[in-house]
Amino acid sequence: MKIFATLARGSLIAYTALFFAFIYIPLALIAVYSFNANPVNMMTWTGFTTEWYAQVLGFKTKISENALYLESTSQLVEALWNSLIIATSTTAIATVLGTAIAIAVYRFDFFGRRFYRTIMFMPMLMPDIVLGIALLIFFVNSGINLGLKTIIIGQCTFLISYVFIVVSARLAGMDRTLEHASADLGANEWTTFRKVVFPQLLPGVVGGALLAFIISMDDLVITYFIAGVDVTTLPMFIFAMLRRGIKPEINAIAVMMLTFSFVIASLGLYLRSRQK
Amino acid sequence: MRDSIVRLEKAAKAFATPEGQTVTALDAIDLDVSRNEFLTLLGPSGCGKTTLLQAISGFVQLDGGHILIDGEDMTDRPPYRRPVNTVFQNYALFPHMTVGENTGYALEVAGVAKAERTKRVGDALRMVGLEGMEGRKPRQLSGGQQQRVALARAIIARPKLLLLDEPLSALDKNLRQSMQIELKTLQHELGISFIFVTHDQQEALTMSDRVAVLSGGRIQQLDTPRAIYDQPKNSFVATFVGASNLFEGEAGSGQLVTKDGLSISHGRQGATGAATALIRPEQFFIAQSGDSAPGLDVDLEQIVFVGSTFELFGRTVTGRRVIAEIPAMRRSLVGEIEQSRRARLAYDPAAVHLLPAEAA
Amino acid sequence: MTSIAFRRRAQLAVLLGPVSLFLAVFFLGPLAIMIVTSFLAPGLYGGVEWTWYPHNYGRILGFADPMFEDFDPIYIAIFLRSLKIAAMTVLATLLVCYPAAFCISRLSDRWKNFCLFLITLPFFTSLIVRLFIWVLILRPTGLANEVLIGTGIVSRPLDLIYTDGAIILGMVYVFIPFMFMPVYASVEKLDWTLVRASLDLGAGPIRTFLRIILPLTAPGIAGGAVIVFIPALGNFVVPAILGGAKVMMLGNLIEQQFLAARNWPFGSALAMMVMTVMLVLLFIHVVVSGRRGFDPATGH
Ligand SMILES: Nc1ncnc2c1ncn2[C@@H]1O[C@H](COP(=O)(O)OP(=O)(O)OP(=O)(O)O)[C@@H](O)[C@H]1O
Ligand SMILES: [Mg+2]
């Protein structure tokens, strides 16, 4: 009996180890192979190099003499730049709108509250592709030229939902007696909001904004449909590269992107855990 | 020898705490429970009561020793193959099943046919006074009703032994008292042995055939309620069960002299050596002038009226605390001493119990 | 009194107004137009003709426009295949996540939080990068084949990539957090004394699992299944990368209608199929969990 219990426990632990191995070994592999010097087969190790990183970052390398590579690097930089512009704008808009609606739904009593609460989940649940083509049809029919503007609008429709959910989780957990205490002590509504509600709400707002930023940087499907012909974002660039054929510097790009989102996500989760 | 239903032989269990120490929860326990007996485990928190029950039901694996149920060695049997059922402290009713399904669960898993199951579920629920509630969900019942369902569920398969781990602790006082009586009656009707765990000594004394007082993973005393109360084996049992006044000292024939010079009379001739005398508070009475019974002179610090009795908190000249309980019908006497703040607490030497001295 | 009420109204209008307008125009508006488009006739050179035309759905479901074509069951086959792949993805993520959820729920708080952190982290990293890794592993010259050949298990590279299996693997990899979180939430809330009670009453481990553990964690499983199934069904990135040209799913088909074939009404009709499945699933989910009422296992 005792042996069985130990065995069962052991196999559960082994299983969980496998589970994490499944999640993280591929990520580790890509990090390792991003330093592989083999330009033909990325998975056959022929030596250590940082050339791909140098290449991606636009430094002079042996390969970068080649005109074709130069072009792809400048495209990459442009794609990254586009992604950053889009993510910054969408984050700003979605954070303001998402927070506003969260406050309205959780601090006001009005007809249609439940409707709002339900409808706010829809953009998140809606399959990307459906929203993507719906937006495409809409923009084309209304004569709006596809480009950065349409991407920003399109991403906001679902990013508002994410911000809403994060902020309303915060609002739902807030102690309202503090607000009553503040009002009781003579603070007017605006002062109470500024001094009591907002500071408590801030971690939720920041969390929502970080989430929106990451998701915006990562969005492929919706952006893909409404980007038009002139604008390429980072995920689109990689997607196109994958479809055309893989080049070694994609490893380096991938590792840099992973590092970037790891840092932001860890920061966000760390801040959240500190708040508790 | 009585007919034994459960026997523990040198049952031992130690736990490793997260802090890296080991706690002995069961310290080589020997225990025999007879057929149709109501045995109560009584002891302070952490003394190993739950561990003992779980060793019997099979949720705790012993480090050493054996468990026999009805003569069969069960030490290595999993819980689901032991003829023992448990009533859990928080009832543990399955929230996704109806009362009927909960109650019939043991029969269902044993493969009893539906028709018979329905009938026996009805019988079991009638037995605990929940006729016709088969269709309800547990959350639609009150705490007392949930308790009864848990009971019906545990007895339906007629186990050889029923284990109850503080089953009444979540109920309010009145409900608790009526459930005590019902449990006792039920046990009689069913003819199943019960091992009952409680924190409440009153409950232990009123319900049980025998009480096992546990402390530190050991059975300190296993006896009838009266013997536990009147003749505790050691000062732990004496203080844990009921209030007590203990006087350690040197025993002589008919007398015990404490270090601070008090002399206590007792009925035991020929006692010698270090010993402790026990006088229960209710054995004291207020001596009137001319009483020849032995007694202690005390200054009264407090007199508390608790309904049926007065509790007197006094102090001897040597500074020792003494508690006495005086029946409320003698309130005229109490009135007198309330004035003087002094009393002589007399006792019958025959009622004084001598405990053997213990190593400190 | 009225002035306070009036001020609240005004505040509410400021908070709700812009969002409502934004979502009405850019979310509900596009969906409505898409629905309308799915009932319009495709123009000859892309574009649409404003006439009632149910045959977009007919092409999928069996009443194709007799003027242009015979009914070709290829579309319903792709639809069914997408359903199948999505269902298998759900099953596979569940099989991967369920035991892990049990194990992690029994760890000490510190380890538990750390594990949860590790599981959520990939969700925040680039989807495309995570899929790309599997291309490197599964390619004919990829790591998996190298290992298999190197250890002598096979002599020639296996076809690992561009298969249903590769798609399911890729989906499992990206959807693990979606399944894990709801499943974990209900496993974590599982009351283990109920498991003990069941064992105590004579039910063996398998019986106890089927009769107690599974029903009590079912809400989490159902929630996870819904939120994995929906994005899996319409997914086009995973099949595009790991399915190549060989494996067609609804997502790729829709993409083709918009970016290659330029038959928007048909593409819209296909998207409507995806949305209908989603709505049906959500409806069932809401009805079932609503009928169950308050569920102590999930706290919903
Ligand atoms: N699983 C365990 N791991 C470590 N220590 C344990 C475990 N179970 C019990 N113990 C320890 O064993 C001792 C006996 O515990 P047990 O639960 O049997 O006490 P109890 O008499 O039932 O107490 P209570 O009246 O509070 O229920 C305690 O010191 C407890 O801390
Ligand atoms: Mg206990």
Side-chain angles (χ1 to χ4, degrees):
Chain A
M1 226 9 228
K2 219 166 174 173
I3 297 168
F4 283 127
T6 321
L7 218 75
R9 210 183 142 68
S11 51
L12 257 185
I13 289 175
Y15 181 87
T16 310
L18 270 180
F19 175 74
F20 282 110
F22 175 60
I23 298 179
Y24 279 95
I25 284 183
L27 297 179
L29 276 178
I30 200 171
V32 171
Y33 283 107
S34 68
F35 295 103
N36 184 2
N38 189 335
V40 183
N41 188 340
M42 279 169 255
M43 289 250 148
T44 311
W45 186 264
T46 53
F48 179 86
T49 183
T50 53
E51 192 130 296
W52 311 122
Y53 286 92
Q55 170 72 26
V56 170
L57 295 172
F59 292 110
K60 246 179 128 61
T61 61
K62 266 173 285 162
I63 346 164
S64 68
E65 307 294 307
N66 187 323
L68 204 109
Y69 273 106
L70 253 176
E71 192 195 332
S72 75
T73 303
S74 69
Q75 280 173 359
L76 168 69
V77 171
E78 198 193 312
L80 175 66
W81 196 235
N82 282 335
S83 278
L84 285 172
I85 293 173
I86 293 165
T88 317
S89 332
T90 49
T91 302
I93 300 171
T95 305
V96 171
L97 294 182
T99 306
I101 195 161
I103 292 175
V105 169
Y106 279 84
R107 281 295 184 273
F108 288 81
D109 209 2
F110 59 94
F111 180 75
R113 236 177 100 188
R114 284 177 57 112
F115 168 76
Y116 269 97
R117 226 183 318 198
T118 317
I119 200 96
M120 287 313 289
F121 280 88
M122 288 306 290
M124 237 178 61
L125 280 171
M126 187 70 59
D128 298 351
I129 196 159
V130 175
L131 191 53
I133 64 161
L135 284 164
L136 171 64
I137 299 172
F138 173 80
F139 286 133
V140 169
N141 275 326
S142 47
I144 303 173
N145 286 332
L146 298 180
L148 280 181
K149 212 171 31 193
T150 50
I151 298 176
I152 292 170
I153 293 174
Q155 288 192 356
C156 278
T157 54
F158 65 96
L159 290 178
I160 293 174
S161 283
Y162 283 94
V163 176
F164 169 79
I165 284 160
V166 175
V167 174
S168 46
R170 187 82 200 163
L171 275 167
M174 255 163 67
D175 186 0
R176 293 207 71 172
T177 51
L178 291 179
E179 288 160 57
H180 296 159
S182 165
D184 190 55
L185 294 169
N188 67 26
E189 242 173 283
W190 175 236
T191 314
T192 301
F193 182 80
R194 255 183 335 141
K195 301 258 176 190
V196 180
V197 181
F198 193 69
Q200 286 190 80
L201 202 54
L202 195 60
V205 176
V206 172
L210 278 178
L211 186 67
F213 190 85
I214 289 179
I215 293 178
S216 167
M217 285 292 286
D218 190 33
D219 181 66
L220 172 61
V221 179
I222 291 166
T223 312
Y224 181 79
F225 282 103
I226 55 179
V229 281
D230 299 327
V231 181
T232 300
T233 62
L234 199 51
M236 284 171 71
F237 179 80
I238 302 177
F239 186 54
M241 211 167 169
L242 281 178
R243 281 186 151 183
R244 260 188 276 124
I246 305 166
K247 283 186 245 147
E249 69 265 49
I250 198 172
N251 277 325
I253 300 175
V255 172
M256 288 193 289
M257 285 178 70
L258 286 180
T259 316
F260 172 76
S261 37
F262 266 40
V263 168
I264 293 207
S266 307
L267 191 79
L269 292 172
Y270 173 74
L271 283 179
R272 211 183 66 185
S273 72
R274 275 257 316 250
Q275 277 301 320
K276 281 188 187 152
Chain B
M1 192 164 150
R2 284 188 294 179
D3 190 6
S4 157
I5 193 87
V6 189
R7 165 174 302 177
L8 274 73
E9 290 167 358
K10 302 254 170 308
K13 179 73 192 177
F15 290 107
T17 63
E19 299 85 49
Q21 293 149 330
T22 40
V23 179
T24 310
L26 301 178
D27 190 355
I29 286 196
D30 289 316
L31 177 68
D32 245 310
V33 184
S34 328
R35 212 172 278 282
N36 210 357
E37 176 173 15
F38 196 119
L39 178 87
T40 298
L41 303 180
L42 181 65
S45 190
C47 68
K49 304 180 296 284
T50 299
T51 309
L52 184 58
L53 281 198
Q54 291 186 345
I56 297 172
S57 56
F59 293 109
V60 159
Q61 294 295 305
L62 291 182
D63 298 335
H66 291 276
I67 293 175
L68 286 82
I69 299 178
D70 210 10
E72 265 187 279
D73 192 332
M74 298 269 163
T75 317
D76 291 326
R77 276 222 204 156
Y80 49 94
R81 292 183 46 223
R82 298 189 186 200
V84 173
N85 286 148
T86 306
V87 177
F88 291 83
Q89 181 167 3
N90 293 316
Y91 320 137
L93 297 180
F94 307 127
H96 58 300
M97 296 185 196
T98 61
V99 167
E101 287 168 328
N102 262 288
T103 310
Y105 190 76
L107 300 180
E108 181 199 321
V109 298
V112 174
K114 183 107 204 254
E116 172 168 7
R117 214 158 73 205
T118 314
K119 185 184 155 296
R120 281 173 67 180
V121 166
D123 291 344
L125 286 177
R126 187 163 334 110
M127 216 159 185
V128 296
L130 290 180
E131 238 172 317
M133 297 229 187
E134 280 93 339
R136 294 221 202 160
K137 283 285 179 80
R139 63 169 174 273
Q140 298 167 322
L141 298 179
S142 72
Q145 290 171 327
Q146 291 182 17
Q147 170 68 73
R148 288 157 202 261
V149 177
L151 201 59
R153 184 179 74 172
I155 58 172
I156 198 164
R158 297 286 161 139
K160 294 188 173 158
L161 177 69
L162 190 68
L163 306 175
L164 306 98
D165 194 351
E166 305 193 34
L168 306 182
S169 63
L171 304 180
D172 68 51
K173 197 168 166 241
N174 288 332
L175 196 52
R176 211 177 151 126
Q177 277 170 352
S178 64
M179 279 304 289
Q180 286 175 5
I181 298 165
E182 279 184 44
L183 268 180
K184 189 74 195 157
T185 323
L186 192 68
Q187 190 244 344
H188 261 292
E189 281 174 21
L190 291 168
I192 297 176
S193 305
F194 279 29
I195 300 184
F196 183 91
V197 167
T198 181
H199 263 124
D200 182 337
Q201 37 160 310
Q202 206 58 49
E203 204 165 276
L205 296 178
T206 51
M207 297 175 75
S208 330
D209 296 322
R210 285 192 301 163
V211 176
V213 181
L214 267 81
S215 165
R218 269 189 228 172
I219 297 184
Q220 302 292 335
Q221 187 167 1
L222 174 58
D223 234 323
T224 61
R226 270 191 218 176
I228 294 268
Y229 191 78
D230 293 337
Q231 288 134 26
K233 276 207 184 117
N234 54 34
S235 59
F236 175 82
V237 178
T239 45
F240 192 75
V241 183
S244 53
N245 298 289
L246 292 176
F247 304 89
E248 317 84 39
E250 219 31 63
S253 195
Q255 285 280 333
L256 176 140
V257 181
T258 64
K259 284 209 191 75
D260 50 351
L262 292 175
S263 125
I264 308 289
S265 307
H266 58 82
R268 205 110 67 84
Q269 303 305 319
T272 52
T276 303
L278 163 69
I279 306 179
R280 295 286 184 192
E282 67 276 10
Q283 284 160 352
F284 284 120
F285 53 94
I286 296 169
Q288 282 153 311
S289 48
D291 253 340
S292 63
L296 295 168
D297 291 304
V298 295
D299 290 324
L300 290 172
E301 294 184 331
Q302 249 190 73
I303 300 174
V304 179
F305 177 59
V306 290
S308 57
T309 58
F310 285 96
E311 283 183 0
L312 309 186
F313 294 86
R315 221 179 249 280
T316 63
V317 273
T318 57
R320 189 187 281 270
R321 287 171 173 280
V322 179
I323 307 173
E325 238 175 67
I326 308 296
M329 54 184 202
R330 319 212 49 163
R331 58 184 71 210
S332 60
L333 278 176
V334 175
E336 267 170 44
I337 59 171
E338 233 170 354
Q339 294 289 315
S340 63
R341 307 302 285 177
R342 287 186 58 83
R344 182 174 169 75
L345 300 175
Y347 56 89
D348 174 6
V352 175
H353 176 63
L354 271 196
L355 306 169
E358 290 155 60
Chain C
M1 193 59 217
T2 36
S3 96
I4 290 181
F6 178 76
R7 280 225 329 253
R8 295 283 289 178
R9 290 275 119 199
Q11 286 167 350
L12 186 61
V14 169
L15 290 172
L16 273 185
V19 200
S20 307
L21 192 67
F22 186 92
L23 289 179
V25 174
F26 295 115
F27 179 68
L28 298 179
L31 286 180
I33 292 184
M34 184 191 78
I35 295 173
V36 171
T37 305
S38 75
F39 288 105
L40 298 180
L44 271 182
Y45 309 100
V48 295
E49 279 173 25
W50 283 83
T51 46
W52 167 254
Y53 187 77
H55 299 295
N56 295 315
Y57 292 96
R59 254 176 109 182
I60 310 167
L61 298 171
F63 50 98
D65 187 347
M67 295 251 289
F68 293 104
E69 59 180 348
D70 290 328
F71 169 65
D72 185 348
I74 177 78
Y75 300 115
I76 195 92
I78 291 176
F79 182 65
L80 292 178
R81 159 193 230 132
S82 301
L83 285 176
K84 190 187 87 187
I85 290 182
M88 295 194 37
T89 302
V90 167
L91 197 67
T93 36
L94 181 63
L95 288 179
V96 169
C97 292
Y98 199 62
F102 273 92
C103 196
I104 290 171
S105 74
R106 314 225 70 187
L107 295 174
S108 70
D109 274 357
R110 279 184 58 168
W111 279 103
K112 210 186 275 184
N113 288 333
F114 181 63
C115 286
L116 292 181
F117 171 74
L118 285 184
I119 291 169
T120 29
L121 197 51
F123 170 75
F124 297 110
T125 63
S126 169
L127 175 93
I128 191 105
V129 167
R130 279 181 290 148
L131 286 172
F132 151 70
I133 300 169
W134 285 102
V135 176
L136 291 189
I137 296 175
L138 298 176
R139 282 193 306 177
T141 54
L143 187 72
N145 270 316
E146 286 212 345
V147 170
L148 287 175
I149 293 171
T151 52
I153 296 175
V154 297
S155 55
R156 284 187 308 128
L158 298 177
D159 281 336
L160 297 175
I161 199 168
Y162 307 141
T163 58
D164 283 10
I167 295 182
I168 293 171
L169 180 68
M171 295 236 213
V172 169
Y173 193 66
V174 294
F175 290 139
I176 278 181
F178 291 41
M179 178 61 92
F180 187 85
M181 284 304 155
V183 164
Y184 177 78
S186 61
V187 166
E188 164 93 302
K189 287 198 189 91
L190 180 68
D191 180 357
W192 285 89
T193 55
L194 297 178
V195 174
R196 290 191 162 191
S198 169
L199 292 171
D200 186 76
L201 291 165
I206 295 172
R207 193 93 183 208
T208 299
F209 177 77
L210 293 176
R211 206 68 177 87
I212 309 295
I213 298 178
L214 201 57
L216 287 176
T217 52
I221 296 175
V226 169
I227 62 173
V228 169
F229 192 89
I230 291 173
L233 180 67
N235 205 301
F236 99 92
V237 181
V238 180
I241 294 176
L242 292 170
K246 276 202 221 156
V247 188
M248 179 78 88
M249 278 182 73
L250 264 180
N252 315 67
L253 187 60
I254 296 174
E255 187 216 356
Q256 260 186 14
Q257 299 311 313
F258 279 87
L259 302 179
R262 296 198 60 79
N263 185 344
W264 290 15
F266 183 53
S268 301
L270 288 167
M272 286 297 294
M273 302 286 293
V274 175
M275 213 164 85
T276 309
V277 173
M278 174 194 95
L279 289 175
V280 168
L281 269 184
L282 285 180
F283 181 74
I284 294 174
H285 187 68
V286 167
V287 167
V288 170
S289 53
R291 202 189 51 203
R292 211 186 283 119
F294 175 78
D295 197 324
T298 56
H300 293 316

